[in-house]
Amino acid sequence: MQLHAQRAAMELRGRERLAPRPALLTQPAIFRHHRRGPSLAPTSRLAPAHVSLRGSNFVVRSTDNNHTESKAYAVNTEPTDRVLSIWRRVDAVCFDVDCTITVNDSLDLLAEFMGVKEPVEALTHKAMEGSLSLERALEERLNIINCSPQDIKNFISAHPPSSRLAPGIKELITSLQARGVAIYLISGGFRELTLPIACYLGIPKSNVFANRMNWQWDDETGEPTKLVGFDMSEPTAHNQGKPEAIARIRQRNPYNTVVMIGDGITDLEAVKITGGADLFIGYGGVVERPAVAAEAEWYVYDYKTLVDALARYRAAIIGSGAWACSAARMMAQNTQADDPADDFMDEVKMWVYEEEYEGRKLTEIINETHENPKYFPGFDLGPNVVAVPSIVDAAKDADLIVFCAPHQFMHNICKQLMGKVKPGAVAISLTKGMRVRPEGPQLISQMVRRYLGIDCSVLMGANIATDIGREQMSEAVIGYDDLDAAKKFRKLFERPYFRVGLLPDPVGAEMCGTLKNIVAIGAGMVDGLGLGPNSKATIIRQGLIEMRSFSKALYPSVRDDTFLECCGVGDLVATCYGGRNRLVAEAWTRAQLAGNPRSFEDLEAELLKGQKLQGVLTSNEVQEILKTRHWEHSYPLFTTINRIINGYLPPSIVVDYVAGSKFEVPGVESEAEEAFVPKRRLPAAQPQQQQQQQPAAALGARR
């Protein structure tokens, strides 16, 4: 009983604080000095302070300046992996207030303001001696202070919250709030004195647990006039009140992890009772209590320690083409931004296939000029983008891996990274395409999951790289299975000019991004034929229908409304008017009409300056699926476009795609079909299967 009274009294008094440090005493070699946070000058009302020489593991404390006896105790200033894991995934943090949030005790400071410091201190000493109970000590202190509501207002005006905060506490709470962590104040003091502090820190009143003063109300004015005690129904009015408050918090909220931060014994009790906190972090920046410092699983003297220990994610991007560079630029802007949450490490590693550009290595040029002059000229990527020639070095330490390479190279990329990625990492694919295997199609996100064993979301939308580089309004969606991962990636990419939505249909979003390139080839043919917007609109509409039908035929779980998102109709329209597939298909068609046919591969090299054309390869891959499953007539636009690009039909048939889809390859089986057969087969792109059979180094060199 006496022990409980002593502990309670320690919380009630102004909490002894450390005096200014004398010169360091001679210490045994085993004790290593630990850097402190800002020191705070004591007030004259406090008892003589102890002198503490802290080490990383031990504290040597003299009990009195006139005594040479000292006592050493262990202090956990370095968190274990378990402790750090709890801190980094915390859902709610509960703070003590006096000498944790503030540099003083609110009730003692109010007593000094009211001119009754000495008798209140005398009661504090009685409580410390165990001769006065917690409830009685609070009651008698309030009787001596005997303040009015106006006195409370005058006190708050004289001692505003901003003048009383412990160094770094506002920055810590702001960082936690920016990460979505709930903040609670649990105080053995009084609500009337705590609420202004909560308001200043942006903490809701409902998140404050503290004692309440009882007032006598004047019958004439209807106003409170006299202090007559405090409300005994509050949990903090009694011993073990703080763990009880945390238990109530957990009953009302689905928090998985709750942490208590404080300086006193009653704060430490929060982890010693079932239903309380999952972790206690002791704070000694204002006052250091040996019993608390010795028992806390983690003890800090500076709130910056806790800010620095918050989880931060390292991001890397695999790819360095135009779209990859525009994505890396957004990532760099967000990781370097002055963000209170500070979720990301500043550096963004970008894997660049090493090649010569104007006599120098491309990675050296990018790291020196912060620009990719070959694939994304004229755009500053940011000083925190670091070009790396090794794909393994780029990805091995990343928590967030962004894939943005041509889809025909992704299989080889995944094989190189097998077993080389960080445990717990997550990925997102910006690549649009699929891999066709004998057993069926494989999306890029599925490939990443299979080979790397990590979750993979997709980012798809109307994303013309140069427009995003110019910071013109654009949008995309993240198709996800893991919502937490999707939220991290949204924060990594979202900019004022780049809106990012979340869509729980990763397969649907990825299929949209894959199939729209085929339709864009058809739209480019319409432009090459010199036809107007009616014809182009017809191709786009039919393309959207076939995209949806094909996606749902392969993956029945795909949602219909996905095709109305920016990854569906938005991306389709943008690609059919401004994408590289439309550009090359238009040039290819004009060359055919002019009697000077050229291959898609030649035009790709000439017009795209090293970028890859996805539509032709995707068309051949999709057509393989259609042919295997006898679906060719069910997808007339896809089928007709494929037969045109492979030289079986002239480009003009694209607007008569129903008839074009009835043409059988190879051979002619009817007079109706003969009308569509050119006199000789038109030159077409090199068979795409040959590209996949080239050595990996050669594939990389063509990026």
Side-chain angles (χ1 to χ4, degrees):
M1 187 72 178
Q2 184 177 1
L3 177 60
H4 282 305
Q6 288 176 336
R7 287 180 174 178
M10 290 177 72
E11 296 298 299
L12 291 171
R13 73 189 303 256
R15 290 187 175 92
E16 59 173 347
R17 292 183 294 166
L18 297 174
R21 304 288 180 184
L24 286 177
L25 303 178
T26 302
Q27 302 180 63
I30 189 173
F31 298 120
R32 180 166 57 85
H33 179 62
H34 184 282
R35 185 177 60 84
R36 289 202 54 184
S39 61
L40 298 167
T43 58
S44 58
R45 64 184 175 86
L46 295 176
H50 295 169
V51 176
S52 172
L53 296 178
R54 287 190 297 277
S56 59
N57 295 309
F58 295 91
V59 171
V60 179
R61 175 176 288 279
S62 296
T63 57
D64 192 297
N65 288 339
N66 297 321
H67 293 77
T68 58
E69 180 183 358
S70 63
K71 181 180 180 181
Y73 53 90
V75 178
N76 297 312
T77 57
E78 297 295 332
T80 64
D81 290 343
R82 186 192 76 86
V83 168
L84 196 58
S85 175
I86 292 174
W87 177 240
R88 288 179 171 176
R89 57 183 170 84
V90 65
D91 297 311
V93 177
C94 302
F95 287 90
D96 173 44
V97 177
D98 295 333
C99 298
T100 298
I101 294 287
T102 65
V103 296
N104 40 43
D105 181 283
S106 299
L107 198 59
D108 283 358
L109 195 61
L110 176 62
E112 184 176 351
F113 178 78
M114 296 295 295
V116 290
K117 180 179 71 170
E118 287 77 10
V120 169
E121 276 192 348
L123 286 172
T124 300
H125 283 295
K126 286 185 178 181
M128 288 188 66
E129 293 167 358
S131 60
L132 202 60
S133 69
L134 171 63
E135 294 85 352
R136 184 70 180 276
L138 281 173
E139 184 177 358
E140 291 194 16
R141 292 171 83 196
L142 288 180
N143 287 337
I144 294 174
I145 293 174
N146 193 28
C147 59
S148 68
Q150 187 59 48
D151 292 329
I152 297 289
K153 292 180 180 179
N154 293 340
F155 167 76
I156 293 170
S157 178
H159 299 281
S162 59
S163 68
R164 301 176 55 205
L165 296 183
I169 187 61
K170 185 172 177 61
E171 291 75 13
L172 172 59
I173 289 178
T174 299
S175 295
L176 291 169
Q177 290 171 327
R179 290 166 174 256
V181 178
I183 304 298
Y184 291 85
L185 301 185
I186 305 180
S187 174
F190 288 91
R191 191 173 182 85
E192 291 79 357
L193 305 178
T194 303
L195 286 179
I197 295 170
C199 181
Y200 181 78
L201 294 172
I203 300 170
K205 295 179 181 179
S206 58
N207 287 17
V208 175
F209 287 78
N211 299 315
R212 293 177 182 268
M213 295 178 178
N214 286 336
W215 302 93
Q216 179 176 306
W217 293 71
D218 186 271
D219 291 340
E220 297 296 329
T221 64
E223 297 292 332
T225 57
K226 183 179 179 182
L227 182 62
V228 291
F230 64 96
D231 185 355
M232 294 292 294
S233 66
E234 293 293 333
T236 50
H238 308 280
N239 289 330
Q240 298 184 345
K242 292 184 178 180
E244 171 62 26
I246 293 175
R248 294 187 186 185
I249 290 170
R250 301 193 92 136
Q251 289 172 0
R252 300 171 187 171
N253 303 276
Y255 299 138
N256 291 318
T257 308
V258 178
V259 171
M260 179 75 201
I261 298 177
D263 68 289
I265 289 292
T266 58
D267 306 317
L268 178 62
E269 288 176 348
V271 294
K272 296 187 174 182
I273 295 178
T274 302
D278 300 289
L279 172 67
F280 169 72
I281 299 176
Y283 175 64
V286 176
V287 56
E288 180 182 343
R289 303 185 188 283
V292 176
E295 290 193 50
E297 285 191 87
W298 191 9
Y299 200 77
V300 301
Y301 300 98
D302 188 339
Y303 283 126
K304 188 176 184 299
T305 302
L306 297 182
V307 174
D308 291 344
L310 290 170
R312 286 177 180 80
Y313 305 104
R314 185 178 296 279
I317 184 164
I318 306 302
S320 57
W323 177 209
C325 285
S326 63
R329 186 171 182 270
M330 292 187 291
M331 293 164 60
Q333 290 173 346
N334 283 327
T335 57
Q336 199 177 32
D338 185 13
D339 176 14
D342 197 16
D343 281 316
F344 307 110
M345 303 292 288
D346 287 354
E347 182 183 80
V348 175
K349 288 184 178 179
M350 180 172 72
W351 174 63
V352 177
Y353 181 85
E354 193 68 279
E355 56 185 305
E356 296 290 323
Y357 180 79
E358 296 183 349
R360 296 183 61 194
K361 293 181 179 179
L362 185 57
T363 54
E364 293 179 355
I365 297 174
I366 292 173
N367 290 332
E368 180 181 312
T369 66
H370 310 300
E371 178 184 333
N372 187 335
K374 182 170 184 178
Y375 299 118
F376 205 47
F379 295 98
D380 189 334
L381 301 180
N384 51 325
V385 174
V386 178
V388 180
S390 166
I391 191 171
V392 173
D393 288 345
K396 66 180 180 181
D397 295 325
D399 303 288
L400 306 174
I401 306 174
V402 180
F403 290 100
C404 191
H407 80 273
Q408 60 266 40
F409 305 147
M410 281 300 301
H411 183 243
N412 185 51
I413 286 172
C414 287
K415 288 176 66 177
Q416 291 184 64
L417 291 177
M418 286 178 63
K420 307 293 178 58
V421 299
K422 185 177 180 179
V426 290
I428 190 168
S429 172
L430 280 58
T431 297
K432 299 173 179 180
M434 67 170 65
R435 178 185 176 219
V436 177
R437 305 167 300 168
E439 61 270 30
Q442 183 182 49
L443 297 174
I444 300 305
S445 62
Q446 295 170 335
M447 185 189 302
V448 171
R449 292 189 192 100
R450 177 183 175 185
Y451 283 90
L452 304 187
I454 61 177
D455 180 75
C456 186
S457 304
V458 297
L459 185 143
M460 300 287 157
N463 306 140
I464 305 300
T466 52
D467 288 352
I468 295 173
R470 298 185 186 104
E471 301 190 0
Q472 297 178 4
M473 185 185 74
S474 302
E475 60 180 354
V477 296
I478 292 176
Y480 68 88
D481 286 320
D482 184 334
L483 179 57
D484 290 338
K487 288 179 178 178
K488 293 182 181 74
F489 282 117
R490 177 169 63 180
K491 190 166 185 180
L492 183 64
F493 286 108
E494 195 163 50
R495 298 293 299 162
Y497 57 88
F498 190 73
R499 302 171 183 170
V500 180
L502 300 181
L503 179 69
D505 185 11
V507 172
E510 192 167 3
M511 287 297 292
C512 286
T514 296
L515 299 175
K516 54 92 180 182
N517 286 325
I518 302 175
V519 185
I521 292 287
M525 291 176 181
V526 170
D527 291 339
L529 292 169
L531 302 177
N534 291 354
S535 299
K536 195 168 187 177
T538 301
I539 297 299
I540 293 174
R541 182 198 63 81
Q542 179 64 24
L544 184 62
I545 290 173
E546 295 189 18
M547 286 167 56
R548 182 180 65 178
S549 178
F550 184 71
S551 298
K552 292 179 72 66
L554 291 180
Y555 305 100
S557 64
V558 168
R559 298 164 39 150
D560 284 327
D561 57 354
T562 294
F563 297 88
L564 299 179
E565 295 279 354
C566 62
C567 63
V569 66
D571 194 8
L572 178 62
V573 170
T575 304
C576 287
Y577 278 90
R580 68 182 70 160
N581 291 279
R582 186 219 63 82
L583 173 68
V584 175
E586 179 185 6
W588 182 86
T589 301
R590 292 188 186 280
Q592 301 290 341
L593 296 179
N596 184 28
R598 300 184 63 186
S599 71
F600 278 103
E601 190 172 65
D602 289 343
L603 290 168
E604 174 188 80
E606 177 184 318
L607 299 176
L608 302 185
K609 308 299 183 185
Q611 296 296 305
K612 306 310 295 180
L613 184 68
Q614 299 294 297
V616 172
L617 177 57
T618 301
S619 174
N620 286 330
E621 291 170 332
V622 168
Q623 200 63 31
E624 185 176 338
I625 298 171
L626 297 182
K627 184 176 180 180
T628 300
R629 304 194 181 195
H630 306 291
W631 290 352
E632 292 165 294
H633 294 171
S634 299
Y635 299 92
L637 181 63
F638 286 175
T639 297
T640 298
I641 289 173
N642 187 258
R643 290 172 179 172
I644 292 173
I645 63 177
N646 283 291
Y648 293 106
L649 296 173
S652 59
I653 303 303
V654 71
V655 293
D656 197 3
Y657 50 81
V658 175
S661 67
K662 295 178 181 178
F663 173 71
E664 297 296 333
V665 178
V668 177
E669 299 183 1
S670 70
E671 293 182 0
E673 292 165 353
E674 188 174 9
F676 297 108
V677 182
K679 298 300 182 182
R680 60 183 176 85
R681 182 172 176 177
L682 300 175
Q686 178 183 352
Q688 301 301 315
Q689 291 81 356
Q690 293 181 21
Q691 295 183 22
Q692 292 179 308
Q693 294 170 1
Q694 295 181 37
L699 288 176
R702 295 175 59 229
R703 290 191 62 256

